[in-house]
Amino acid sequence: MLPLAERMRPRTLDDYIGQRHLVGEGAVLRRMIESGNLSSFILWGPPGVGKTTLAKIIANRLERPFYTLSAVTSGVKDVREVIEKARQSRFFNQANPILFIDEIHRFSKSQQDSLLGAVEDGTFTLIGATTENPSFEVITPLLSRCQVYVLKPLDESDLKQLTDKALHNDSELRKRNITISEDEALYRYAGGDARKLLNILELIANAQPEGDIVIDNATVTERLQQNPMAYDKNGEMHYDIISAFIKSVRGSDPDAAIYWLARMIAGGEAPEFIARRLVILAAEDIGLANPNALLLANACFDTIHKIGWPEGRIPLAETTIYLATSPKSNSAYNAINSALAYVEKTGNQPVPLHLRNAPTALMKKLNYGKEYKYAHDFPGHFVRQQYLPDSVQGEHFWEAQNNTSEIRMAELMKKLWGE
């Protein structure tokens, strides 16, 4: 039997729940579909909000050939084969086929490059789906040929509508006497994700094969806690697990950090999300105590884009352990926050004249850049001069912390500037 989420997949725009700003009456995508003039576009939004479903509805409504690729399993060869099939399937005056690419952000640059010509000459109309910001993950030439539409998490009214529809219309659930007495936990764990909501309903129904079912907050929480793989990429559990991961790295516990990393991987978390958190951790919590941490975290982020799953788990694990076992410092984090608070309080203070740029004769006449001392012209590449605005002189924003690296930095600053 098909899973509930697949049984409930809408077949028409009228059955589609959510995204009223795109497919509601008079909205941009509905107008495009009704006119039949479809241009290439990318659907950007979190998991379970209807990206794949919307692409299939569009193809069915317009009665066009529909090809699909997954960026997780497809290579350049697969892309070229689909392009050739699309070319062969076209007849005179027939509308373009549709090529749907799920998780297009996981396509490499070469894979994305291979799409350009076919999109440009109209071999097919491209519909991409991504959970990541396309401006970061999709190459500029391809992005410039596609409109980007943002899909939002389903709101509570959408989730209630979907729940009612599932309980009353699904061939299996309507056989059961299911009552919802409390829905707070149900919708919180769903986190705006239609697929997650339907999976929770199915999990609860399957856990009690006979008799009436009453769904309340306690039942939902209990059932999900009994499922060790339950992981909600948008709801409370997602934030609890990433919080535990961050705090374990910050707290120098490599075993706990690896455990929470495994929980995220097993739950289907996007590798780019984890890699971004590691980059932030390297800068915020390891910082100047071990500047190499940021280099490794950034290399991990790049590597993830190149190799994907499942091998991507290895550089993620390597970086997690390295960061967890590194000395810690948040002095850079504290320094920028302190400086930002000071700027907020004091406003725009004037740049000292000797530090100003002087590209024109008028600026030179006004003494811009005059008396600036070029540090490399002096012994030790250092000379004392004023670098802060007059009103900020004497303020200190960076304070060295007690680790080998920063102690060495502080000693150098003391030698140059004195106390």
Side-chain angles (χ1 to χ4, degrees), residues 8 10 48 50 116 125 138 154 157 190 234 266 283 299 333 355 413:
M8 289 299 300
L116 282 175
T125 298
V138 178
L154 273 62
S157 65
N234 295 288
Y333 173 80
L355 297 182
M413 291 301 100

Side-chain angles (χ1 to χ4, degrees), residues 357-368:
N357 190 28
T360 69
L362 176 60
M363 290 177 172
K364 290 177 182 176
K365 187 176 180 181
L366 293 173
N367 292 330
Y368 280 32

